[in-house]
Amino acid sequence: MSRIVVVTSGKGGVGKTTTSAAFATGLAMRGYKTAVIDFDVGLRNLDLIMGCERRVVYDFVNVINGEASLKQALIRDKHTENLHVLPASQTRDKDALTQEGVGRVMDGLRDDGFDFIVCDSPAGIERGAHMAMYFADDAVVVTNPEVSSVRDSDRILGLLQSKTQKAEQGGNVREHLLITRYSPTRVASGEMLGMEDILEILAVPLIGVVPESQSVLQASNSGTPVILDKTSDAGQAYDDFVRRFLGETVPHRFLEVEKKGFLKRLFG
Amino acid sequence: MSADVVEIKGEMTLVSVLQLASPDVAKVRQGLQQKRDSVPQLFVNSPLVVDCSSLGDACQRLDFQALREAIVDLGFIPVGIRNIPDACQEQAVLAGWAMLRPVRQSAIPRTGRPAVQEPVTAGKSIEVIERPVRSGQQVYFPDGDIVVLQHTSAGSEILAGGSVHVYGSLRGRVLAGIHGDTSARIFCQKLEAELVAIAGNYRLLDEIETDLKGQPAMVWLEGEKLRIAPMF
């Protein structure tokens, strides 16, 4: 049985696509057959982050409209086995996403034996975001440690409770909170909200904290999901997050200000 | 036997009264629409009594049929009309209006046409919310108290006919006694609300000088002034 996971946030630029790419890669690395779908029709980015933009022939909207089969549109990821990308269309808008069409794609992926379907939601609370979350079993809510992002995530959590198929059937979408771009130094100096403050406001189980890191930008630019960079703190944090999602107990890291050693203090 | 099936009682019920100041139905409609749109949830299918006491003789120029249609059109349920000159009564009845006796007497329709379309409450007097009330969500319960077992977020709204109890942080807007119950109160574990209101008397918490912000507190109405005090 496939598990559909939406990666959402409300606010833009908090790291949804980076997270979707890392998350899907992490699941696939562990042997799960995984599909990651870009719901940001008109502003497609996921293919860039996954480094497959030059291999896009057919896209999500083509499949919805019956102009291509799922098989034709799914792009096999070149880094990781078991991972397939369904890119968004760049020349259409979000109205092309119909509930019935999206439902058919989900059914198709289920029939193809995918273990996980990761839905990369666009920013906002309109059609694209609604369609991305509608069929979800789980939601990873991505939040940055600042007030507007936290407020928008709160709004999204409200919508998850009312605008999803699960909610309409009287159930609940499982909620997970992922804090990204966390900088312990700036939290300590009071520039950013601390983890405890965010949890206080949102009251959702924390599944991971990804530190602010240069490696994320480098990974995006080179089209390799950051989780593949085992030496970077962000890559390790994403790996921890995937393990927790799969049920392992992993302690949280990267929450404290790094203590500089004697040499580091001398030489910066 | 039939006595078991139905029972007619003379009862007092709280009903909104539309006080007409003009016989011009178009103007009345416009004014009513503005009122409705300001709090749409409050007025959906809400019963309405029309009072013509301020119209006096201008009542002659009132189109009862159009008035009724305008009210229905805006989503209200016209229950009856009162305080109209005898000369107009027949017209009003023909337009389907129930005649209500002037105020101070029992407000039961006099004509045979039953106008009992008030929302039936199945005896439920409390609404318990077990999950956090998130930004953008609204909890509306006109028939009694609302109890929230968790927090309410900034940007949320709680609207209760009675009192509101929040067993967590209260961060959004909270309106108690929305139908005019001045005895309604607001209780919370941590007072961080944006706005508190009881029976239409509202205050922004930022405007209130109180050291109870972030503390367990209770809000109630004393005369027309909102008071805040610690609970313990």
Side-chain angles (χ1 to χ4, degrees):
Chain A
M1 189 63 193
S2 314
R3 211 161 137 191
I4 301 175
V5 189
V6 61
V7 177
T8 186
S9 73
K11 197 172 182 300
V14 296
K16 285 182 295 296
T17 303
T18 301
T19 299
S20 298
F23 181 42
T25 303
L27 292 170
M29 273 163 32
R30 288 178 168 76
Y32 295 101
K33 191 175 174 187
T34 305
V36 53
I37 308 177
D38 191 350
F39 275 78
D40 207 347
V41 177
L43 290 169
R44 66 172 223 224
N45 278 155
L46 181 68
D47 49 324
L48 284 172
I49 308 279
M50 304 282 293
C52 64
E53 77 275 14
R54 296 186 168 279
R55 292 192 290 144
V56 175
V57 181
Y58 293 109
D59 57 52
F60 191 21
V61 173
N62 290 138
V63 182
I64 286 176
N65 291 344
E67 295 150 4
S69 69
L70 253 182
K71 215 184 169 79
Q72 286 174 303
L74 280 174
I75 303 171
R76 197 181 276 275
D77 186 69
K78 61 178 182 239
H79 306 288
T80 318
E81 248 188 279
N82 303 316
L83 181 57
H84 300 259
V85 184
L86 186 53
S89 175
Q90 183 70 350
T91 52
R92 307 293 293 271
D93 61 41
K94 270 121 187 139
D95 293 335
L97 298 172
T98 58
Q99 187 164 308
E100 194 229 335
V102 175
R104 254 190 288 117
V105 171
M106 297 294 169
D107 288 341
L109 292 170
R110 261 192 212 117
D111 294 343
D112 284 349
F114 279 92
D115 298 306
F116 288 101
I117 302 166
V118 178
C119 303
D120 180 22
S121 171
I125 53 174
E126 283 80 27
R127 183 156 200 91
H130 182 202
M131 283 302 108
M133 71 168 66
Y134 185 75
F135 294 97
D137 301 300
D138 292 72
V140 174
V141 177
V142 184
T143 299
N144 286 171
E146 46 112 4
V147 282
S148 61
S149 174
V150 173
R151 169 75 66 92
D152 290 359
S153 295
D154 196 47
R155 181 89 168 93
I156 283 289
L157 285 162
L159 296 178
L160 285 167
Q161 285 166 25
S162 56
K163 296 268 174 119
T164 54
Q165 194 178 43
K166 275 257 151 52
E168 284 169 10
Q169 291 166 354
N172 282 321
V173 175
R174 269 186 299 267
E175 299 157 347
H176 313 272
L177 180 68
L178 181 72
I179 303 175
T180 56
R181 310 194 68 166
Y182 195 77
S183 163
T185 336
R186 296 180 67 185
V187 170
S189 66
E191 286 171 58
M192 274 185 177
L193 283 178
M195 183 193 71
E196 287 82 7
D197 296 333
I198 300 173
L199 288 175
E200 233 269 306
I201 295 172
L202 294 179
V204 170
L206 181 71
I207 195 158
V209 179
V210 179
E212 173 88 69
S213 167
Q214 273 299 311
S215 56
V216 173
L217 191 61
Q218 284 159 12
S220 296
N221 287 338
S222 67
T224 34
V226 68
I227 197 168
L228 294 173
D229 183 355
K230 301 273 189 235
T231 57
S232 77
D233 44 2
Q236 292 170 23
Y238 272 119
D239 201 61
D240 288 356
F241 150 58
V242 175
R243 286 167 60 196
R244 283 188 207 107
F245 187 85
L246 292 170
E248 284 181 52
T249 310
V250 186
H252 287 284
R253 298 192 268 174
F254 313 113
L255 295 176
E256 303 301 325
V257 180
E258 208 178 309
K259 299 233 170 24
K260 283 190 176 170
F262 173 68
L263 283 175
K264 231 181 175 179
R265 249 184 293 166
L266 265 186
F267 301 107
Chain B
M1 288 300 174
S2 65
D4 294 330
V5 184
V6 290
E7 202 179 351
I8 294 183
K9 282 186 184 172
E11 239 180 46
M12 302 285 281
T13 314
L14 203 61
V15 180
S16 306
V17 176
L18 176 68
Q19 198 82 38
L20 290 193
S22 157
D24 183 349
V25 174
K27 277 188 196 157
V28 170
R29 186 196 162 98
Q30 204 179 8
L32 186 57
Q33 185 160 14
Q34 276 171 7
K35 290 264 186 255
R36 183 199 63 177
D37 291 347
S38 60
V39 206
Q41 291 79 3
L42 202 64
F43 291 127
V44 164
N45 295 329
S46 157
L48 196 67
V49 167
V50 176
D51 189 310
C52 301
S53 54
S54 356
L55 279 186
D57 285 335
C59 234
Q60 314 264 9
R61 284 182 282 129
L62 184 64
D63 182 342
F64 291 96
Q65 183 73 37
L67 177 67
R68 190 178 172 82
E69 279 162 12
I71 290 173
V72 171
D73 205 12
L74 290 172
F76 294 86
I77 297 166
V79 175
I81 199 160
R82 70 185 187 201
N83 291 326
I84 57 173
D86 290 345
C88 300
Q89 291 209 353
E90 196 186 348
Q91 247 186 310
V93 171
L94 279 177
W97 284 99
M99 289 298 143
L100 300 182
R101 274 172 253 168
V103 83
R104 279 186 304 275
Q105 294 177 30
S106 149
I108 300 170
R110 192 160 49 178
T111 53
R113 196 187 153 90
V116 194
Q117 283 172 313
E118 290 141 38
V120 180
T121 55
K124 188 173 140 177
S125 67
I126 188 164
E127 174 84 1
V128 180
I129 310 290
E130 295 182 11
R131 307 197 63 173
V133 183
R134 304 281 182 189
S135 180
Q137 288 185 323
Q138 194 179 49
V139 179
Y140 170 64
F141 186 64
D143 304 327
D145 294 359
I146 293 177
V147 176
V148 181
L149 300 181
Q150 303 216 24
H151 72 263
T152 82
S153 294
S156 67
E157 246 176 42
I158 312 275
L159 302 154
S163 297
V164 177
H165 309 250
V166 179
Y167 291 92
S169 300
L170 173 60
R171 299 202 187 93
R173 295 160 165 249
V174 54
L175 294 86
I178 51 170
H179 288 314
D181 181 358
T182 51
S183 67
R185 292 188 180 208
I186 297 164
F187 307 87
C188 63
Q189 281 294 331
K190 213 170 171 190
L191 181 67
E192 290 171 353
E194 295 165 342
L195 176 146
V196 289
I198 293 171
N201 298 275
Y202 71 90
R203 291 293 293 276
L204 293 168
L205 203 69
D206 265 6
E207 290 176 347
I208 303 176
E209 282 301 317
T210 173
D211 45 11
L212 288 170
K213 285 174 196 168
Q215 303 296 318
M218 168 170 75
V219 183
W220 77 98
L221 199 60
E222 214 174 81
E224 294 207 332
K225 210 170 152 47
L226 285 177
R227 312 274 298 177
I228 303 181
M231 270 201 296
F232 306 111

